[in-house]
Amino acid sequence: MRRFTLFVALLATLVAAASERKLLTMEDAILNRDLVPQNYEIRFSEKNPKIYEHARRGTIEQYDIRTGRLVDSTPILIGMPNPFRNRASIKDNNVVWYDNEGKMYKVTDFADKNIVCGQAVSRHEFGIDGGLFHSPDKSLVAFYQKDESKVTTFPLLDITTRTGSLIEIKYPMNGMASERVLVGVYNPATQKVVYLAVTDFDEERYITNLAWSPNSKTIYAQVLNRAQKEMHLNAYDALSGAFVATILTEQNERWVEPQNPIRFIDNDRFIYTTDNRHGYKNLYLHTLSKGSTERLTKVDADVEYLSHNDRTVFYYSAEVSPVERHLFSVSLRNGKVRQLTRNEGWHSCEISPDGKHFSDNYSSLNTPRVVAIGSTDGKLYRELFRADDPSKEYNYSTIELGSVKSADGKYDNHYRLIKPLDFDENKKYPVILYVYGGPHSQMVTNSFQAQLRRWEMYMAQRGYVVFVMDNRGTLNQGAEYEKAIHRQCGKCEMEDQMAGLQWLLSHKWADRERVGVHGWSYGGFMTISLMTHYPEVFKVGVAGGPVIDWKWYEVMYGERYMETEATNPEGFAATSLIAQAKNLRGKLLICQGAIDDVVVWQHSLSFIDTCIDNGVAVDYFPYPRSQHNVRGKWRVHLMQKVTDYFEDYLR
């Protein structure tokens, strides 16, 4: 009896403590950085392989890796940034070079604004994030040059000028003229530029993932045809630009998407990444002298290169679970594989310069952050830091992780589920499906709070069931899973989302009569797709920056997944939301950045125009000075608008 009394008293204390904890405000949900777990950054010393460093309170503290003992502490010196020395830079869409004395030389000198040099090309697709590539010995620099003269422009409205102004952007739309890319190589010794003799396919080819050989004599490029179904890995002489050889090729009737440059181990061997040979993104070892390509990571799971030395390659793998990321190593000598991280969760690691140690920064559903250090032989693993839960003062609902079978029954689609505060399974609650669902995304991971967007918790605190699930077409479950969307974006994604939703609605506490959906960008496309294809299910939706018809989206991304109207007319007709507008029955709010340069305004305005023609009621709210993503205080306004819409029509 006494134990029962103590239990009741403890339970009452816990309930009282929970009731005293705070609810999120909208500012908390969107802007409060204190709700992100504290970090503890370390780095390995470049000078001493036995030391790691941590910056704290204006000093650099050095610790012995093996013992964890503090061995030195020195002030952080902040000086003026180094001036340019022997490096290339960008000035007015051209490339310039600074010599060792800081004197500037023009590498390119195009006055035509259609010619852009030294910047990323192909709208940052194919892993491209820059346009300058210095050789390992710093004697040469390669650069991208694109000609956009045949690319159509799209007008964006700038309302901040006295009478309004149009900003013309280059936007290559699906099936229309695209940019033309060259790769130049500048030699400071001769002050001359040569261009790589790329002749594969036609002039609208893609030239991606540039890589230098260790001896700075050769440049490698992955050359992809515009249809993105064939890729050639070519070698070019760096001094003359002459074509040397095609090293390997890839072909796929759906798509080939090179995203990773080759990584040289020495002048004869490099690491190559593809999902086109064994059904998963795996690493391969190519030997130039033998012309051979050997699979390094022999696992039916997607992997990601991290680092290497002359003995070992380090990589992340999804083989433990698609919602977990773990560090592995494979020996280049005998192929032996070792799993280096064991704690469940999502790991981000760094390898020491000598390859003998690694740092591990990880979290899992209920673990905010742990920072540890380990040895790559598996003999040492020591925790350095464990973060507190930054949300402990807030009254959060429990976040559940689980999976539902995909609509075709072949895969486990992972979800996170948040039930309302004070959940009572005998009550019925409104449901919000938050969706993205597009390529290159993974919404659900076994990381802290399952990659929660805090607005979801905000809504759960106010009485909603919130459900988020990855579907076919997203990352980390192999090529078949990812490429299921080919030529029919939205079809299998909707099927999977409906399979997940039907599982959710099978519970008596989920109100079938009050189901809402919200998403942005591809998620906006999915929101309107679901509302128009399943009007009997969805009562309310809010779509942000939605793709409406793939013919208005960019060449690089859109043609990969949908091809063109000329080659896939049935797919474009089936996925266009213009044709589906007449089916809309629920309450729909569309929000859009008026100067969106990713999903241009033509999409949502055309949908509104069609709704008007069909007598379909729809609500619209533009953000006049926002681009594709609405940020900062404007985002607080946006998410309050989204919340109010659900409160008004779904409650």
Side-chain angles (χ1 to χ4, degrees):
M1 185 64 180
R2 182 172 180 273
R3 286 185 178 179
F4 178 74
T5 303
L6 288 173
F7 172 76
V8 171
L10 177 60
L11 182 61
T13 301
L14 292 174
V15 170
S19 66
E20 292 174 1
R21 288 185 293 167
K22 298 184 292 185
L23 297 181
L24 291 167
T25 66
M26 189 59 75
E27 287 76 11
D28 284 331
I30 306 305
L31 300 177
N32 192 343
R33 295 185 179 181
D34 291 337
L35 288 170
V36 177
Q38 183 183 355
N39 200 1
Y40 183 90
E41 295 183 0
I42 69 170
R43 67 184 184 189
F44 291 103
S45 171
E46 294 287 343
K47 298 178 180 179
N48 188 340
K50 298 179 180 180
I51 296 295
Y52 73 85
E53 301 173 336
H54 170 61
R56 183 168 60 178
R57 297 172 185 170
T59 63
I60 295 290
E61 297 178 343
Q62 295 187 325
Y63 295 85
D64 184 277
I65 289 176
R66 287 283 171 181
T67 66
R69 182 174 59 87
L70 178 67
V71 296
D72 195 13
S73 179
T74 58
I76 297 174
L77 300 178
I78 301 176
M80 296 295 292
N82 291 329
F84 294 118
R85 290 292 185 268
N86 286 335
R87 56 169 292 190
S89 188
I90 303 166
K91 185 176 182 180
D92 300 327
N93 280 354
N94 281 290
V95 178
V96 294
W97 177 267
Y98 293 89
D99 67 14
N100 197 42
E101 303 301 320
K103 182 179 178 181
M104 187 189 80
Y105 297 85
K106 291 182 178 180
V107 175
T108 62
D109 191 18
F110 294 101
D112 186 348
K113 297 299 183 183
N114 290 304
I115 310 298
V116 180
C117 301
Q119 300 179 32
V121 298
S122 306
R123 292 182 66 84
H124 294 269
E125 293 292 322
F126 317 110
I128 298 171
D129 60 4
L132 296 171
F133 309 87
H134 292 84
S135 62
D137 66 4
K138 310 302 181 187
S139 65
L140 304 170
V141 62
F143 60 90
Y144 276 130
Q145 178 176 306
K146 64 179 176 179
D147 181 350
E148 297 181 298
S149 58
K150 296 187 178 182
V151 176
T152 54
T153 60
F154 190 90
L156 302 177
L157 177 61
D158 179 5
I159 66 165
T160 64
T161 60
R162 178 65 178 84
T163 58
S165 304
L166 291 181
I167 303 170
E168 298 280 349
I169 63 167
K170 289 290 184 177
Y171 194 92
M173 281 192 179
N174 188 300
M176 300 179 72
S178 188
E179 64 192 35
R180 302 183 179 208
V181 176
L182 300 174
V183 176
V185 184
Y186 176 67
N187 186 342
T190 63
Q191 298 183 22
K192 301 291 185 182
V193 173
V194 299
Y195 288 90
L196 302 188
V198 182
T199 59
D200 313 62
F201 317 121
D202 61 30
E203 289 186 341
E204 292 187 347
R205 64 182 80 87
Y206 301 106
I207 306 176
T208 74
N209 296 290
L210 300 184
W212 284 91
S213 62
N215 61 14
S216 299
K217 294 182 178 180
T218 309
I219 297 176
Y220 294 80
Q222 296 173 45
V223 184
L224 182 68
N225 69 338
R226 174 164 167 171
Q228 301 184 48
K229 299 182 187 301
E230 183 174 356
M231 186 278 291
H232 301 164
L233 173 59
N234 292 342
Y236 301 89
D237 181 83
L239 288 178
S240 68
F243 170 78
V244 176
T246 295
I247 308 303
L248 54 83
T249 64
E250 301 284 358
Q251 292 179 317
N252 192 293
E253 63 181 10
R254 287 175 292 187
W255 70 76
V256 177
E257 186 183 7
Q259 291 180 286
N260 306 97
I262 60 176
R263 313 278 183 170
F264 274 92
I265 296 165
D266 51 41
N267 280 314
D268 192 40
R269 298 178 299 164
F270 62 76
I271 301 158
Y272 169 67
T273 304
T274 183
D275 69 355
N276 197 44
R277 301 198 171 200
H278 292 92
Y280 295 87
K281 289 186 181 73
N282 268 209
L283 305 182
Y284 296 80
L285 178 65
H286 185 89
T287 304
L288 290 168
S289 59
K290 297 179 180 179
S292 63
T293 306
E294 173 190 357
R295 189 183 184 189
L296 267 179
T297 53
K298 300 174 183 178
V299 59
D300 289 345
D302 285 339
V303 310
E304 179 186 353
Y305 167 89
L306 177 62
S307 183
H308 75 272
N309 54 37
D310 59 359
R311 306 177 305 279
T312 308
V313 176
F314 302 95
Y315 61 95
Y316 298 120
S317 176
E319 62 196 78
V320 174
S321 167
V323 296
E324 295 196 14
R325 183 170 78 167
H326 285 275
L327 178 64
F328 285 74
S329 67
V330 58
S331 169
L332 289 168
R333 181 174 60 85
N334 57 24
K336 182 180 179 180
V337 173
R338 175 180 280 130
Q339 182 177 342
L340 297 174
T341 55
R342 296 287 179 177
N343 295 305
E344 71 167 317
W346 195 268
H347 295 257
S348 296
C349 303
E350 180 184 349
I351 308 300
S352 64
D354 62 1
K356 293 182 178 180
H357 297 93
F358 68 95
S359 63
D360 183 17
N361 190 324
Y362 75 91
S363 70
S364 60
L365 178 61
N366 297 308
T367 303
R369 188 189 306 278
V370 174
V371 177
I373 199 162
S375 60
T376 54
D377 61 7
K379 295 179 181 179
L380 169 71
Y381 190 83
R382 187 176 67 255
E383 186 175 306
L384 304 177
F385 172 78
R386 183 173 289 263
D388 291 332
D389 181 352
S391 61
K392 61 185 178 183
E393 295 181 2
Y394 290 79
N395 205 358
Y396 273 24
S397 297
T398 300
I399 302 171
E400 301 176 23
L401 275 178
S403 64
V404 177
K405 281 294 181 184
S406 57
D408 64 0
K410 295 180 180 179
Y411 305 97
D412 292 324
N413 286 333
H414 293 267
Y415 68 77
R416 66 173 173 268
L417 170 64
I418 314 173
K419 297 173 184 174
L421 284 178
D422 304 322
F423 175 75
D424 182 347
E425 65 177 13
N426 294 311
K427 292 183 179 180
K428 283 189 176 294
Y429 298 96
V431 172
I432 295 176
L433 171 67
Y434 182 77
V435 63
Y436 181 78
H440 298 164
S441 71
Q442 186 174 7
M443 299 281 287
V444 181
T445 60
N446 186 6
S447 55
F448 183 51
Q449 297 176 345
Q451 209 169 309
L452 172 78
R453 286 157 173 76
R454 289 194 298 271
W455 177 80
E456 301 164 30
M457 188 61 69
Y458 179 94
M459 298 305 283
Q461 289 177 337
R462 286 151 181 83
Y464 294 85
V465 171
V466 183
F467 184 69
V468 183
M469 187 185 74
D470 289 316
N471 48 247
R472 281 175 292 164
T474 58
L475 286 176
N476 242 16
Q477 295 211 52
E480 287 299 317
Y481 186 87
E482 195 170 343
K483 296 183 180 183
I485 67 173
H486 181 235
R487 291 168 59 93
Q488 50 187 359
C489 284
K491 182 177 183 296
C492 71
E493 301 98 301
M494 283 192 289
E495 293 170 352
D496 280 5
Q497 290 293 332
M498 291 306 297
L501 187 60
Q502 290 306 321
W503 167 82
L504 181 67
L505 295 177
S506 69
H507 298 85
K508 63 181 181 180
W509 40 260
D511 192 343
R512 287 179 171 270
E513 302 303 314
R514 292 186 292 167
V515 179
V517 57
H518 171 46
W520 199 274
S521 193
Y522 204 100
F525 165 68
M526 288 291 294
T527 294
I528 302 177
S529 294
L530 287 164
M531 289 199 71
T532 54
H533 285 81
Y534 301 94
E536 73 285 0
V537 175
F538 295 95
K539 183 179 180 182
V540 182
V542 182
V547 173
I548 296 296
D549 193 308
W550 290 102
K551 71 173 176 283
W552 293 320
Y553 201 65
E554 65 184 32
V555 166
M556 298 78 184
Y557 183 104
E559 291 184 5
R560 180 186 312 134
Y561 305 119
M562 286 294 296
E563 298 185 2
T564 67
E565 280 191 293
T567 62
N568 183 23
E570 300 86 359
F572 275 79
T575 59
S576 172
L577 297 178
I578 295 295
Q580 300 298 326
K582 63 183 183 298
N583 299 327
L584 183 64
R585 297 292 178 268
K587 294 291 296 184
L588 173 64
L589 169 65
I590 298 175
C591 298
Q592 173 92 44
I595 53 172
D596 191 333
D597 59 355
V598 176
V599 182
V600 293
W601 216 356
Q602 187 167 359
H603 287 269
S604 60
L605 290 181
S606 297
F607 186 81
I608 294 293
D609 191 46
T610 304
C611 286
I612 294 169
D613 287 344
N614 285 274
V616 175
V618 63
D619 294 314
Y620 194 84
F621 197 95
Y623 282 83
R625 291 188 289 152
S626 288
Q627 296 180 308
H628 187 53
N629 293 307
V630 179
R631 302 184 186 278
K633 291 185 177 180
W634 295 342
R635 187 164 189 84
V636 175
H637 184 281
L638 165 67
M639 297 315 298
Q640 189 62 59
K641 185 76 177 174
V642 173
T643 300
D644 291 345
Y645 205 75
F646 285 121
E647 288 281 87
D648 289 344
Y649 299 112
L650 194 63
R651 174 62 72 181

